[in-house]
Amino acid sequence: DAPVERVILTGGPAAMPGLARWLGEALEAPTASAAPAQLATCDEHLTRIAGQPALTLALGLALHGRDWK
């Protein structure tokens, strides 16, 4: 078994106050919440909306079929 080196929380629970801190202490690993705006660039008018961790799954699904060439 490999040790946990880092935890990144996504989705709705990532916005729960104190969850990242508690989980980081429990796992003894750096823990942070991530929102779509932190993971991919987006149009300026979407920045406020894309700041919600609950939309991370939607971003992943939207980018899934994208041609990255």
Side-chain angles (χ1 to χ4, degrees), residues 2 4 6 12 15-16 18 27 30-32 35 39 42-46 54 58 60 62 69:
V4 174
R6 178 174 59 158
M16 292 177 60
L27 296 174
T31 306
L39 304 173
C42 60
D43 293 338
E44 194 173 313
H45 68 280
L46 294 176
K69 295 180 186 177

Side-chain angles (χ1 to χ4, degrees), residues 37-57:
Q38 297 168 309
L39 304 173
T41 56
C42 60
D43 293 338
E44 194 173 313
H45 68 280
L46 294 176
T47 301
R48 186 176 53 130
I49 296 169
Q52 301 173 21
L55 297 176
T56 307
L57 176 61

Side-chain angles (χ1 to χ4, degrees), residues 5-18:
E5 294 182 21
R6 178 174 59 158
V7 177
I8 299 175
L9 302 173
T10 61
M16 292 177 60

